[in-house]
Amino acid sequence: MACRQFDQAADAISLPEAIRDRTKYPRRCLAVSLPVRRVDGSVTVFEGYRVQHNLSTGPSKGGIRFHQHVTLGEVAALAMWMSWKTSLVGLPYGGAKGGVIVDPSLLSETELEHLSRRYMQEMVNFVGPHVDVPAPDVGTNEKIMGWMMDTYSNHVGHVEPAVVTGKPIALGGSQGRREATGAGVAYLVKKYLEDMKVPITKATVAIQGFGNVGSETAIALSRYGAKIIAISDVSGGIYNPKGIDITKALTYVRYQKMLHDFDGGEPISNEALLELKCTVLAPAALERVITDVNAPKLKCRLLAEAANGPTTNAADRILEKRGDIELIPDVLCNSGGVVVSYFEWLQNLSNYYWDRDEVMTKLFAILDKAKIAVDAQKKKFQFSRRLAALTLGIQRVADAKQSRGLFP
Ligand code: NAD
C-alpha cells in the first residue's frame, strides 16, 4: 500500500528515475530475537524489528508497536509514512518504526518490562539521540518509554533522555505529548469544518479506537463542542445519538481496560461504527479498515485519518470518485504526535523545559502551516489531498538526497 502510494506520487511529480529507488526503499532494517523469562519460569523468544527508512534529513523518528500482528513489511510501511510525515511538517528528521510480535495484554507487568528493556538492549547500537529516536505507538506507552530510556542510559553511562520521546514528565517528557496526536487531529478537524462552513457545535463524531489517539481526539473534540456519538476499541463499540460522556468512558476504561459493557449507549460493532451517519469519522486504531467493501457505504462528511494507513488504495479511489467526503490524510492528520515528540527532543537536548501553552501554540502553528501547504498543492495541481500531502513530503526528501549527492 505504501509502495503503491509512493509510485503514484513519484509519477505525479515526475521524480527522476535516478532518485526514485533511493527515496523509496528503507535505509536499514534490523530483526532481533528477544528472550524473556516468564513468571512461570519458562522462556519465550519474541521477534522484534526496527526499520530506518530515511536518514538523509536528520535522525530517524517513529514509534514502537507491540501487537500480535506486527510484520517486517508493516513496520517498513509505517517507517516510510513517517519519512513523508516528518518531511511534510518540516521537522529535521527521517522516518523509522519499530515493532514486536506480541499481544502485550497477555504479559504481566514484569514480563512487559523485561521485553521492553530487552528490545532497547538489542537496539542500543542502532538508535540514539542523533541516530534514531523511538516513541510510543499501538500497544506501547509512557511507562515503556521510561524503561527504554533507563536501559539506554544505563548502557551509555549517563542520563540520555533524548533517546526516546513520549516519556513520563518526570523523566524529561514534554508537557502536552500524551495528548498531542489527538489534540492535533481535533485541531485539524476544527479547521477543515470551518472551511466546509459546518459549525463544530453541530458536528457529530464517530471514533474507532479508544487508546491514546482515539481517546484524546474524543476529549479535544468534545471540548470544542462536537458531539461524540460513537467510540470503540478491540472489544467492540458504543453508540449514543445523544452524545457519549467521554469522561465517564475514560474512567470506565481506566478500571475495566476495555469499553466492553460500558453502559453509556447501545453496543455497536466496529464495522457498523464506520458506516454510521455522522459529520466526522475518525479511524484511530489500525490500518486498512476502510476498504473497497465499506467505502461506498460511508456516510460521514469528513474522514479524519487519526490512525496510520486506515484507508486502502482501492477505497481511496472509490472515495475520490464519490467526491462527497473531505479527507484529512494520515501524514497530516496525526502529525501532532511527532511534532510534540520533536519538541520533547529539543527540550531534552537543551535541558530547558516549556510550559503546556507554549507547546500547544507552537504545535498548532506548525499544523496550520502544513495544512495551508497541502491545500495549496492540492489546488495548484488538482491533486487529491492525500496526493498533495505525499508529493510535498516525498519531494522534500528527494531534494535533500539529491543535494547531498551519492557517497561513492
Ligand atoms: P493504542 O494502543 O493506545 O490504542 C489503540 C486502540 O485501538 C485501542 O483502543 C485498541 O483497543 C483499539 N484496537 C486495536 N485493534 C482494534 C480493532 N481490530 N478494531 C478496533 N479497535 C482496535 O494506540 P495509539 O497510540 O492510540 O495508536 C492508534 C493509531 O494512531 C495507530 O495507527 C498509530 O500508528 C497511530 N498514531 C499514533 C501516534 C501516537 O502518538 N501514539 C501518533 C501518530 C499516529
Side-chain angles (χ1 to χ4, degrees):
M1 208 176 126
C3 285
R4 293 299 80 74
Q5 286 179 359
F6 174 85
D7 294 342
Q8 197 199 351
D11 286 345
I13 52 174
S14 306
L15 202 64
E17 280 304 324
I19 198 81
R20 274 196 192 211
D21 285 356
R22 277 178 70 195
T23 312
K24 179 176 178 178
Y25 292 114
R27 174 79 175 265
R28 302 172 184 146
C29 308
L30 180 66
V32 291
S33 297
L34 307 164
V36 172
R37 190 172 303 283
R38 311 299 297 267
V39 280
D40 64 4
S42 66
V43 173
T44 306
V45 180
F46 295 95
E47 194 170 329
Y49 309 106
R50 184 80 184 162
V51 175
Q52 295 166 357
H53 178 261
N54 161 39
L55 292 161
S56 299
T57 43
S60 51
K61 190 88 193 74
I64 297 170
R65 180 172 290 194
F66 282 4
H67 193 272
Q68 59 276 23
H69 295 145
V70 160
T71 64
L72 180 57
E74 179 191 55
V75 176
L78 290 162
M80 194 188 218
W81 284 324
M82 284 306 294
S83 289
W84 316 147
K85 189 185 303 179
T86 53
S87 164
L88 171 66
V89 292
L91 305 181
Y93 286 142
K97 207 81 182 190
V100 177
I101 308 172
V102 60
D103 180 348
S105 69
L106 302 180
L107 300 187
S108 70
E109 176 97 349
T110 311
E111 292 167 339
L112 188 63
E113 178 174 354
H114 288 175
L115 177 64
S116 307
R117 289 186 180 278
R118 188 74 195 209
Y119 179 86
M120 180 46 95
Q121 178 63 40
E122 292 300 328
M123 293 292 145
V124 159
N125 294 317
F126 206 61
V127 300
H130 299 287
V131 183
D132 180 15
V133 186
D137 190 76
V138 174
T140 54
N141 54 26
E142 281 182 9
K143 193 185 263 183
I144 291 176
M145 292 305 116
W147 290 328
M148 289 191 177
M149 174 268 196
D150 179 69
T151 305
Y152 187 87
S153 297
N154 273 303
H155 186 85
V156 296
H158 57 90
V159 180
E160 191 52 275
V163 68
V164 291
T165 58
K167 300 176 293 292
I169 302 273
L171 295 181
S174 178
Q175 296 291 338
R177 175 59 187 90
R178 186 185 304 167
E179 58 267 43
T181 312
V185 172
Y187 181 77
L188 288 166
V189 164
K190 179 165 84 80
K191 288 283 163 182
Y192 276 103
L193 288 178
E194 278 167 24
D195 292 353
M196 292 158 66
K197 312 261 181 286
V198 177
I200 195 153
T201 47
K202 296 243 156 54
T204 53
V205 183
I207 301 174
Q208 184 191 54
F210 204 63
N212 173 279
V213 179
S215 65
E216 293 294 345
T217 301
I219 294 169
L221 281 174
S222 48
R223 281 197 190 130
Y224 286 139
K227 195 197 286 178
I228 315 297
I229 58 165
I231 52 175
S232 73
D233 64 14
V234 69
S235 71
I238 302 292
Y239 169 61
N240 185 345
K242 294 198 180 110
I244 294 167
D245 183 335
I246 295 301
T247 316
K248 225 171 122 190
L250 277 168
T251 311
Y252 184 84
V253 168
R254 190 166 304 133
Y255 293 105
Q256 303 296 327
K257 303 286 177 228
M258 295 285 167
L259 275 171
H260 191 64
D261 287 341
F262 172 59
D263 65 0
E266 300 296 310
I268 187 172
S269 70
N270 265 293
E271 293 73 28
L273 177 146
L274 296 172
E275 295 171 19
L276 277 176
K277 187 169 169 22
C278 56
T279 321
V280 182
L281 174 64
L286 297 176
E287 299 89 69
R288 291 178 300 188
V289 292
I290 296 173
T291 64
D292 51 346
V293 176
N294 60 11
K297 302 184 212 155
L298 297 195
K299 295 180 204 69
C300 59
R301 293 188 59 193
L302 178 63
L303 175 59
E305 292 187 332
N308 286 306
T311 310
T312 66
N313 298 349
D316 236 358
R317 287 193 290 276
I318 293 169
L319 295 178
E320 246 179 82
K321 205 175 271 174
R322 279 182 55 167
D324 57 345
I325 296 178
E326 292 291 331
L327 172 84
I328 316 179
D330 49 6
V331 288
L332 173 64
C333 192
N334 66 38
S335 62
V338 73
V339 170
V340 178
S341 273
Y342 166 60
F343 296 161
E344 181 172 328
W345 178 77
L346 284 182
Q347 293 170 77
N348 294 153
L349 292 179
S350 63
N351 270 311
Y352 179 73
Y353 288 84
W354 316 347
D355 64 26
R356 192 177 181 281
D357 280 355
E358 187 173 359
V359 169
M360 288 301 164
T361 307
K362 287 189 163 126
L363 165 65
F364 296 151
I366 288 181
L367 294 181
D368 279 334
K369 202 168 147 201
K371 174 181 181 286
I372 290 167
V374 168
D375 288 338
Q377 177 90 340
K378 175 179 185 289
K379 197 167 167 203
K380 184 170 171 194
F381 296 105
Q382 300 292 302
F383 286 166
S384 69
R385 196 170 285 114
R386 185 187 312 285
L387 192 59
L390 288 174
T391 49
L392 281 174
I394 291 169
Q395 185 75 64
R396 287 178 193 163
V397 174
D399 287 349
K401 285 189 183 284
Q402 195 85 281
S403 305
R404 284 187 62 161
L406 191 58
F407 187 73

